[in-house]
Amino acid sequence: MEKRQQDIVIIGAGLTGLTTAFHLIRKGKSVHILEKSERTGGQIRTFHEEGFIFESGPNTGVVSYPEIAELFDLLSPDCQLETAREESKNRWIWKNGRFHKIPSGLWGGLTTPLFSFPDKFRILSEPFRPRGTNSDESVAQMTKRRLGKSFLDYAVDPFLSGVYAGNPDTLITRYALPKLYNLEQQYGSFIKGSIAKARQPKTERDALATKKVFSARNGLESLIFALKTYIGSNHITTSASGVMVHPFEKGWEISFSTSRGEEKLFAKQVITTTGAYTLPDLLPFIDKKDILKISNLTYAPIVQVSVGVLQTGNLRFNAFGGLVPSKEKKDVLGILFPSSCFSGRAPEAGGLFSFFMGGVKRPGLIHLTNEELTQIVTDNFHSMLKFPSGVRPDLIRIFRHPLAIPQYEQSSGERFETIKKLQLRYPGLHLGGNIRDGIGMADRIRQATTLAEIAGK
């Protein structure tokens, strides 16, 4: 068998793996990516049908770090960053049979029906409360302590449904929402911390992190196509089954199977970007005790249903979308309005909506039949979006993701420490992906950039 030598082998051709390879190739490194599925992009996939452009996986990201803007700039003009319209700043929360806008100012905060009267005034004293001392405090505990229960029920709970499809009682603040945790720890208060952060001088590079919602022109898969084109298909092997990594002669041996038979690659370094559930089979040389600590990550199951309508009539959806608190006992976690945020996502007079169901609290919904899911969506198309009973969706597409969103719960601290220990024990092994460093697209791009800097030295 021919000994195929690479500087670096990357496991996984999702956003993290592709972005890492892109930066490494720019540094002049020889790179090869192994992907078990028949396509690249992971959960990112864009469909173009009947005048609609819709996603089966992530719909948007946030330009949280300069690395996002820099990546798109490097890929231009093959892929163009598209930031959401101004109306995307509006966010809606469902309560008592209708959506309400999340307040953005003092008057709106005092008049909104979302929060209780005592909690509205309780927030005024938030800067004077002592900082928490429990480093493993859940998001629910922290929210109730600093803001009150109505803020948990009608702000934080639906926000976590939109980001993690998770449970605020089990998500740990310092892992799931580290920026929020650090505001309290560093400044003693969310409000004081936010004011202090806003006053800090920004470099020209810092200003690239606009915090705007983003997609890519013509859909997120445009980003995947641009990365893949730069990397080159000859540096990517898809449909690679049974991938296993073993230490070998001051480097790594990576074995796998394709339609051509058994194959091997040899590399100085190896980077994993796949889900936690793949690691026991992928890294058989790691002892069971340690592999359990990095692979016992819970993933929320998600059903996403893309719904298109050719005529919205007099209805207007001038918002990013609407989220549904657990307390409201709905089958839907939330509904995003992609055609309100980005151009060309629906015919001019129409609208595109993304319904989300399932999550940690309702995992069984992923097992409903297409007919049952269609009925739920159609009912809420009328009751929540207020389309007349005679109007039916013109397009419904159902996507199931059994292992969609990782939950940064109590076990996360042990996982992060074990990853550090293993990377020190096995030089040249880099454990990336959504097992650490955040779950959003911005987190994936930032981590990939950092991985390329470390491995590319």
Side-chain angles (χ1 to χ4, degrees):
M1 180 181 295
E2 179 187 359
K3 187 173 182 178
R4 297 164 60 194
Q5 184 75 41
Q6 300 286 326
D7 289 331
I8 300 152
V9 168
I10 297 171
I11 315 298
L15 180 59
T16 310
L18 292 172
T19 305
T20 305
F22 169 79
H23 286 300
L24 285 169
I25 290 172
R26 291 186 71 245
K27 292 176 179 288
K29 300 297 181 180
S30 62
V31 177
H32 200 87
I33 306 175
L34 296 177
E35 168 58 46
K36 68 177 181 180
S37 73
E38 61 186 18
R39 57 176 294 275
T40 59
Q43 294 194 39
I44 295 176
R45 191 168 189 177
T46 305
F47 293 83
H48 299 250
E49 288 187 39
E50 301 175 24
F52 298 97
I53 300 175
F54 54 95
E55 312 285 353
S56 67
N59 277 240
T60 61
V62 177
V63 187
S64 306
Y65 313 111
E67 288 86 349
I68 289 78
E70 290 168 343
L71 177 64
F72 276 94
D73 186 56
L74 289 169
L75 291 170
S76 180
D78 296 324
C79 179
Q80 297 181 17
L81 178 71
E82 184 175 14
T83 54
R85 300 184 182 115
E86 280 299 302
E87 51 258 53
S88 70
K89 293 181 179 179
N90 296 326
R91 310 293 172 99
W92 296 350
I93 300 291
W94 184 264
K95 185 176 184 180
N96 296 334
R98 72 181 187 90
F99 281 118
H100 302 266
K101 181 181 176 182
I102 296 178
S104 57
L106 178 61
W107 178 249
L110 292 174
T111 57
T112 180
L114 291 173
F115 312 125
S116 70
F117 192 74
D119 284 349
K120 290 176 184 178
F121 285 92
R122 177 181 170 84
I123 198 171
L124 298 176
S125 60
E126 190 273 338
F128 308 103
R129 290 194 185 89
R131 62 171 54 87
T133 57
N134 177 11
S135 61
D136 287 334
E137 189 174 36
S138 72
V139 177
Q141 291 169 329
M142 187 184 211
T143 304
K144 286 187 287 187
R145 176 172 56 79
R146 295 211 68 88
L147 302 175
K149 191 172 187 305
S150 66
F151 278 89
L152 171 63
D153 290 340
Y154 285 96
V156 174
D157 173 271
F159 169 77
L160 290 178
S161 291
V163 175
Y164 279 93
N167 183 347
D169 290 311
T170 58
L171 290 167
I172 303 301
T173 310
R174 69 177 170 132
Y175 306 134
L177 301 174
K179 291 181 180 179
L180 191 65
Y181 176 80
N182 290 331
L183 282 181
E184 183 189 30
Q185 292 303 305
Q186 293 177 18
Y187 302 97
S189 156
F190 301 154
I191 294 175
K192 287 193 293 186
S194 298
I195 293 172
K197 285 282 189 182
R199 289 176 175 171
Q200 288 178 356
K202 291 185 177 181
T203 65
E204 187 175 338
R205 185 169 186 263
D206 290 336
L208 295 175
T210 61
K211 306 298 189 289
K212 291 183 178 180
V213 172
F214 79 88
S215 179
R217 189 70 52 85
N218 294 319
L220 284 168
E221 202 166 4
S222 298
L223 173 57
I224 301 301
F225 289 152
L227 289 167
K228 181 180 175 182
T229 299
Y230 184 91
I231 294 164
S233 297
N234 57 317
H235 295 291
I236 304 172
T237 297
T238 55
S239 301
S241 61
V243 180
M244 286 195 291
V245 176
H246 293 279
F248 181 82
E249 295 181 358
K250 297 183 180 180
W252 300 92
E253 175 191 88
I254 304 95
S255 60
F256 57 100
S257 297
T258 67
S259 58
R260 298 183 296 270
E262 299 291 323
E263 300 190 43
K264 288 185 179 181
L265 289 172
F266 298 88
K268 299 172 185 176
Q269 301 183 75
V270 65
I271 300 172
T272 70
T273 67
T274 53
Y277 45 87
T278 69
L279 298 178
D281 292 334
L282 181 63
L283 306 171
F285 62 92
I286 296 178
D287 66 67
K288 290 183 179 180
K289 184 175 68 173
D290 284 335
I291 203 70
L292 179 62
K293 291 176 183 177
I294 65 173
S295 64
N296 64 345
L297 180 57
T298 300
Y299 284 77
I302 292 290
V303 178
Q304 180 178 178
V305 183
S306 293
V307 175
V309 59
L310 294 172
Q311 298 283 340
T312 58
N314 294 323
L315 295 173
R316 295 292 177 266
F317 302 94
N318 297 321
F320 177 72
L323 295 171
V324 182
S326 303
K327 196 169 185 179
E328 292 294 313
K329 306 297 183 185
K330 301 283 288 183
D331 289 325
V332 175
L333 292 169
I335 310 170
L336 299 186
F337 310 151
S339 56
S340 296
C341 298
F342 305 108
S343 61
R345 301 304 165 106
E348 188 172 348
L352 177 69
F353 309 93
S354 292
F355 286 70
F356 292 88
M357 292 176 273
V360 169
K361 292 187 176 182
R362 301 289 303 279
L365 292 179
I366 199 169
H367 301 300
L368 295 182
T369 65
N370 283 356
E371 291 74 20
E372 291 169 325
L373 291 170
T374 298
Q375 188 62 56
I376 290 172
V377 167
T378 303
D379 290 346
N380 287 288
F381 177 78
H382 298 301
S383 64
M384 298 183 74
L385 300 181
K386 308 303 182 185
F387 279 94
S389 58
V391 177
R392 303 281 295 182
D394 295 291
L395 176 142
I396 295 179
R397 298 292 182 268
I398 298 169
F399 306 100
R400 289 176 170 83
H401 302 284
L403 298 165
I405 305 176
Q407 305 295 299
Y408 284 11
E409 300 176 327
Q410 187 72 48
S411 63
S412 295
E414 186 176 54
R415 182 172 68 259
F416 299 156
E417 288 303 313
T418 303
I419 288 170
K420 290 179 183 177
K421 182 179 72 174
L422 290 170
Q423 291 181 151
L424 287 172
R425 184 184 302 168
Y426 299 102
L429 174 65
H430 309 278
L431 303 174
N434 60 30
I435 60 174
R436 63 178 176 94
D437 299 334
I439 67 166
M441 285 194 294
D443 299 312
R444 301 294 88 242
I445 292 171
R446 189 190 198 194
Q447 184 196 72
T449 308
T450 302
L451 284 170
E453 289 172 357
I454 294 170
K457 289 181 180 178

